Amino acid sequence: MSRIEKGRSYIGESVVRPQTARLLAGRGVFTDDVVLPRMLHVAFVRSPHAHARMLSIDSTEARTLPGVVAVVTGEEMAPVCSGWVGTLAHFQGMKSAMQRPLAVGKASWQGEPVAAVVAESRAIAEDGVSRVRVEWEPLPAVTDPETALDPSTPVIHPELGDNLAFKLELKSGDADAAFKSADAVLTETFTMGRHTGVTLEARAILADFDPSERRLTVYHSFQSPNMMQDILARHLGLPEQDVRVICKDVGGSFGIKVHIYPDEMATCTLSVMLGRPVKFTADRLESFVSDIHAREHRVKAELAVKRDGTILGMRVDDLSGIGPYSVYPRTSAVEGNQTIRLTPGVYRFRDYSARLSVVFQNKTPMCQYRAVGHPIAFAVMEAMVDRAARELNLDPVEVRRKNYVTAEMYPHTSQTGYFFERLSHEEALDKLLEISDYRALCAERDARRAHRVYRGLGLCAFIELTTPGPAFYGVGGARISSQDGCTIKLEPSGKLTCMTGVTEQGQGTDTMIAQVVASAVGVAMEDVRVLTGDTMVSPYGGGTWASRGAGIGGEAALQTGKAIRANILKVAAAILQCEPEDLDIRLGKIVDALTGEVRLDLAELGRVAYFRPDTLPKDFQSELTVTRHYVPRHQGFAFTNGIQLSHVEVDVETGFVRLLKHWCVEDCGRIINPRLVDEQIRGAIVQGIGAALYEHLVYDEQGQLLTGTMMDYLVPMAAEMPEIVVGHVETPTAYAEGGFKGAGEAGTAGAPGAVLNAVNDALAPFGARVTSQPITPEVVLKALGAL
């Protein structure tokens, strides 16, 4: 190759993930695969009661079991690991109780760890657990959020005074005046059930404390290694630099693996106490009672509209139950906070008031899960829009179009203070109608009703909060990095090694970063090796959550790639005795910028720079390792938007809902890898559909989880899923050179609302309507009056 006409950009290409072959070959290394010399295993004694006082713990029999190394209680662990309180300073008035790795004195949910058995194997540890005798005094359980604040309801944490964790009121304009001037006022109460994220790889952690150097190395299936490093250092009294967190392959996370869990903190504490490696891997049964839960909401909504469909105002009252503790360090108030702040954001009306009450209860702690608060917000908003259209005999498409924040209104600040640089509701709607052939579907639906086939179509417009800046956690005092770094070094071989603070959990972060780096530098993508998830190696960063990987990590990679490209060209110019501006990098070759003539291989440049710098000018120093950081400064979040359409058929005899097809058009800014974005969207839609139709953590009045196995908890499977069509509109952000935003949660944000509206459309001929999720056959039949 003597001439290269132009370079290649991988941005916008559907590149297959390089690690796919390794994972399919079974060469992935997940936390439970890691085995260390002298490694011990821990199993936990968990409370069988939702709320109970521990009168005594007798571990005598367990300690005598061969292979058991230690049995540790909360009192014994407390001096080694300090407790934590999950509140944020900017959530004024928020409160929660002190939480510890192992409960002390009483348990507050079924499944809370109260003692640890450490043994030579997991099986022995579990046998030891069965030999620990706990004398319990059951206490009344608080399970219903509606009555959690009643004077007659027991207070879970007496030191807090009541069961209210947080309350918030928002007001924009004059909602009361809007309702007085309305032609119609619609009122609805929505109930959204608890569910959780069922990751393929359960939570797992392996802690290895070296007493000789007092250094702790932790292998962790986690999303945010630097956050964990900081928390372990502070609560175990270790210097931060002496704690190393390594996240190897992670088998899914969805927000489940970004929180501090008592059993994981206990595992690390046990390693410090025993001076040996200790591993904990949650089994599927304990995952259901120990992984964070999500979404338990009761939302009362009122909508004021004119006869022509113009929305005048809205009132929302959200009640959310979060279990006995606000989860550390992100807090359990963010879910409800985002729900009431996001609800009206798609539309232009200004008069809005909202109230949020977050209450404690004796259930598994609830916290942030994929698309925090979004599915609730848009299911409520879009269900109210559809109901308005139906009651006013208007086209639901046109009602949306009439009320959208339109292109000429940007930049726009929402009713609740969110800044929208530019969104594309109209373009997304137009594209959705086109790719779905919406009008033909409506005609087919109407025709089939004559034959007693009840199909429905449901729209759900949404916005997604991505790329969060410092205002998200930093202002509240949580030490969660809002910036991310990227380090790139040119190896002597001419290949690039890239280390980034964002992490890979199966979504293709390392592929996306490699595409950006290869494009920015001018090399082949296979010449870029990306390393993530090691606090000793990677630049400090926040990890991957809230759709921040591309928006923050991608921009950091772009800027680092540009910087090392400039440095490479300086070295090349020194070797070739010309100016850097006369040269270019194309497909890993230094070429003449004008003619494309190949002047130098990067491997030869690396050889000279590393091994023969004596041949370079004496006042020249090669800098072939570069680090750059990026934090969003110009806006709190890079919001994205989109709209989904669900097509369903409801069997009015059995109540079963059959998914026929699903469409989503989303706008995540400049797309780096369309294939990865499409699969992110599809996977997220499946999770949203799971919440809408299947997944439900059901408790009885005593706080006992009734659906805590894979037999009882319905995870959506491929057989139930419809064809999912994904389309895109691209509105790059102008605040970052790459124009990247986030895409990880958009599917989950809109799917439940689309399915809810589709089911209600199918039930419309019967005058029936559902307002609770999951929409089980029982829910449908009750709406039809058949139960």
Side-chain angles (χ1 to χ4, degrees):
M1 183 182 293
S2 60
R3 190 180 300 275
I4 303 174
E5 293 301 326
K6 62 179 181 179
R8 174 182 177 182
S9 173
Y10 292 89
I11 296 174
E13 282 195 24
S14 290
V15 178
V16 175
R17 285 185 281 176
Q19 74 271 34
T20 301
R22 178 178 65 84
L23 294 171
L24 289 175
R27 302 291 295 177
V29 180
F30 299 88
T31 298
D32 196 47
D33 294 323
V34 180
V35 176
L36 298 179
R38 303 177 67 245
M39 186 175 77
L40 300 171
H41 300 259
V42 60
F44 293 96
V45 179
R46 297 182 182 275
S47 172
H49 302 284
H51 197 196
R53 191 170 290 114
M54 287 181 284
L55 301 180
S56 65
I57 299 177
D58 182 358
S59 60
T60 306
E61 188 179 351
R63 292 177 190 275
T64 61
L65 188 68
V68 168
V69 175
V71 180
V72 179
T73 65
E75 287 86 350
E76 293 165 330
M77 188 169 284
V80 183
C81 181
S82 60
W84 56 86
V85 178
T87 58
L88 289 170
H90 64 300
F91 288 159
Q92 294 183 2
M94 184 179 183
K95 59 182 188 280
S96 186
M98 173 76 73
Q99 192 173 11
R100 297 184 180 280
L102 299 175
V104 176
K106 75 170 186 176
S108 299
W109 84 86
Q110 178 209 4
E112 183 172 11
V114 301
V117 178
V118 187
E120 298 290 346
S121 73
R122 172 66 183 244
I124 296 173
E126 291 189 4
D127 286 347
V129 166
S130 68
R131 288 166 169 78
V132 175
R133 313 298 177 201
V134 182
E135 186 179 359
W136 297 98
E137 178 190 348
L139 300 171
V142 181
T143 57
D144 185 356
E146 292 281 3
T147 59
L149 300 179
D150 288 353
S152 58
T153 299
V155 176
I156 297 173
H157 305 291
E159 67 273 25
L160 300 181
D162 57 31
N163 291 325
L164 181 66
F166 180 60
K167 64 179 180 179
L168 176 66
E169 293 192 6
L170 301 175
K171 289 187 177 179
S172 168
D174 189 343
D176 292 340
F179 275 78
K180 289 178 183 175
S181 62
D183 294 326
V185 173
L186 310 172
T187 302
E188 202 96 77
T189 298
F190 299 87
T191 304
M192 309 299 188
R194 270 189 175 231
H195 55 93
T196 187
V198 183
T199 56
L200 283 177
E201 180 203 20
R203 290 188 299 110
I205 191 166
L206 167 57
D208 181 15
F209 181 70
D210 180 352
S212 65
E213 294 187 320
R214 290 196 61 75
R215 288 181 176 173
L216 177 65
T217 301
V218 175
Y219 300 87
H220 199 187
S221 181
F222 204 61
Q223 298 173 237
S224 184
N226 282 114
M227 186 196 92
M228 190 67 178
Q229 176 195 31
D230 169 75
I231 285 173
L232 287 171
R234 285 190 290 115
H235 290 277
L236 292 172
L238 299 170
E240 187 173 14
Q241 69 273 17
D242 289 340
V243 177
R244 180 184 184 184
V245 177
I246 302 169
C247 301
K248 292 181 172 290
D249 290 310
V250 176
S253 50
F254 316 123
I256 297 296
K257 298 174 181 174
V258 77
H259 308 293
I260 296 306
Y261 290 93
D263 46 24
E264 295 183 356
M265 292 296 286
T267 302
C268 297
T269 308
L270 289 166
S271 181
V272 173
M273 294 173 73
L274 300 172
R276 293 178 63 175
V278 180
K279 177 187 282 186
F280 167 66
T281 301
D283 66 30
R284 196 57 75 182
L285 292 177
E286 63 188 342
S287 291
F288 277 110
V289 294
S290 61
D291 290 2
I292 62 103
H293 292 177
R295 312 277 203 252
E296 184 170 356
H297 290 258
R298 185 277 293 140
V299 183
K300 295 179 180 176
E302 298 175 277
L303 193 71
V305 291
K306 294 175 64 176
R307 287 189 184 87
D308 65 357
T310 302
I311 301 173
L312 299 176
M314 188 177 197
R315 298 190 188 108
V316 167
D317 181 358
D318 182 12
L319 173 66
S320 180
I322 61 166
Y325 297 98
S326 170
V327 177
Y328 184 65
R330 295 164 191 265
T331 84
S332 302
V334 174
E335 165 82 6
N337 178 62
Q338 289 191 184
T339 297
I340 64 170
R341 289 186 184 277
L342 287 167
T343 296
V346 172
Y347 298 108
R348 65 174 67 183
F349 68 89
R350 303 307 306 176
D351 296 322
Y352 176 73
S353 67
R355 182 169 60 183
L356 169 68
S357 300
V358 180
V359 299
F360 295 117
Q361 54 186 174
N362 294 115
K363 297 180 181 176
T364 300
M366 185 275 279
C367 200
Q368 296 159 38
Y369 168 64
R370 198 171 194 175
V372 183
H374 293 60
I376 311 301
F378 302 115
V380 169
M381 184 75 242
E382 293 293 279
M384 296 303 289
V385 170
D386 260 25
R387 184 177 166 197
R390 180 160 292 114
E391 299 212 358
L392 297 169
N393 197 27
L394 300 172
D395 182 340
V397 171
E398 296 311 314
V399 171
R400 285 175 172 81
R401 208 186 291 278
K402 178 184 285 290
N403 289 286
Y404 274 158
V405 177
T406 51
E408 70 277 9
M409 296 173 69
Y410 293 103
H412 176 79
T413 300
S414 79
Q415 302 89 337
T416 59
Y418 283 144
F419 174 76
F420 302 146
E421 177 191 4
R422 188 178 187 283
L423 301 178
S424 55
H425 296 301
E426 298 154 294
E427 297 98 315
L429 175 61
D430 289 341
K431 187 157 190 172
L432 181 83
L433 299 179
E434 176 189 346
I435 65 173
S436 65
D437 200 359
Y438 177 79
R439 297 301 176 190
L441 291 173
C442 291
E444 180 194 30
R445 172 200 61 192
D446 296 342
R448 285 180 179 270
R449 284 178 182 173
H451 302 282
R452 299 177 60 79
V453 175
Y454 299 100
R455 292 187 171 181
L457 293 159
L459 293 164
C460 183
F462 63 88
I463 53 179
E464 185 198 352
L465 180 157
T466 80
T467 317
F472 205 36
Y473 289 117
V475 297
R479 295 166 64 87
I480 301 170
S481 176
S482 56
Q483 64 85 53
D484 256 278
C486 179
T487 297
I488 302 176
K489 63 177 177 179
L490 180 75
E491 305 289 356
S493 63
K495 312 299 183 186
L496 297 175
T497 299
C498 171
M499 293 152 282
T500 175
V502 292
T503 52
E504 165 67 25
Q505 294 119 46
Q507 76 277 48
T509 292
D510 48 2
T511 304
M512 173 270 294
I513 293 291
Q515 287 181 255
V516 173
V517 170
S519 303
V521 178
V523 302
M525 191 175 153
E526 54 268 28
D527 289 343
V528 181
R529 174 76 182 275
V530 177
L531 302 177
T532 68
D534 186 338
T535 57
M536 185 172 283
V537 175
S538 307
Y540 203 95
T544 304
W545 44 270
S547 301
R548 68 187 299 278
I552 298 177
E555 183 67 18
L558 175 62
Q559 297 305 323
T560 314
K562 289 175 59 181
I564 197 166
R565 172 190 170 85
N567 287 3
I568 291 171
L569 290 176
K570 288 177 184 176
V571 177
I575 295 172
L576 298 171
Q577 299 183 7
C578 61
E579 296 299 321
E581 293 77 13
D582 297 332
L583 302 172
D584 195 5
I585 306 174
R586 298 176 186 173
L587 298 179
K589 311 284 187 183
I590 304 296
V591 303
D592 184 285
L594 292 177
T595 67
E597 180 184 358
V598 175
R599 303 287 307 277
L600 190 66
D601 284 342
L602 283 183
E604 175 61 11
L605 182 147
R607 185 190 70 80
V608 173
Y610 286 107
F611 308 124
R612 290 303 308 276
D614 56 303
T615 63
L616 298 175
K618 294 188 183 301
D619 60 349
F620 180 80
Q621 176 61 52
S622 300
E623 295 291 351
L624 296 177
T625 299
V626 171
T627 299
R628 292 289 184 273
H629 298 83
Y630 176 72
V631 62
R633 296 182 183 278
H634 300 286
Q635 53 184 350
F637 312 95
F639 281 95
T640 72
N641 69 281
I643 186 166
Q644 297 188 30
L645 172 67
S646 177
H647 189 201
V648 307
E649 183 174 302
V650 178
D651 186 328
V652 296
E653 301 296 326
T654 66
F656 276 95
V657 175
R658 184 161 70 97
L659 298 158
L660 300 174
K661 199 166 182 178
H662 198 103
W663 295 262
C664 175
V665 174
E666 67 79 44
D667 182 351
C668 64
R670 190 181 184 190
I671 297 176
I672 298 171
N673 186 320
R675 185 197 304 268
L676 289 179
V677 172
D678 284 0
E679 295 315 312
Q680 283 266 28
I681 296 295
R682 288 194 178 94
I685 287 173
V686 170
Q687 287 190 293
I689 289 174
L693 294 178
Y694 307 113
E695 300 181 59
H696 197 190
L697 293 162
V698 180
Y699 282 83
D700 68 13
E701 293 181 352
Q702 286 73 47
Q704 294 291 311
L705 180 62
L706 303 178
T707 53
T709 76
M710 295 297 284
M711 292 289 289
D712 306 303
Y713 184 85
L714 301 181
V715 176
M717 307 296 282
E720 291 96 29
M721 290 302 102
E723 179 186 357
I724 299 173
V725 180
V726 181
H728 303 282
V729 173
E730 291 192 58
T731 308
T733 175
Y735 292 123
E737 184 175 344
F740 315 135
K741 302 178 186 175
E745 301 178 320
T748 306
V755 173
L756 178 66
N757 281 345
V759 171
N760 280 327
D761 186 40
L763 297 178
F766 301 92
R769 183 169 174 82
V770 299
T771 56
S772 65
Q773 293 183 346
I775 308 169
T776 62
E778 181 184 10
V779 169
V780 173
L781 292 176
K782 283 184 175 177
L784 289 166
L787 285 181

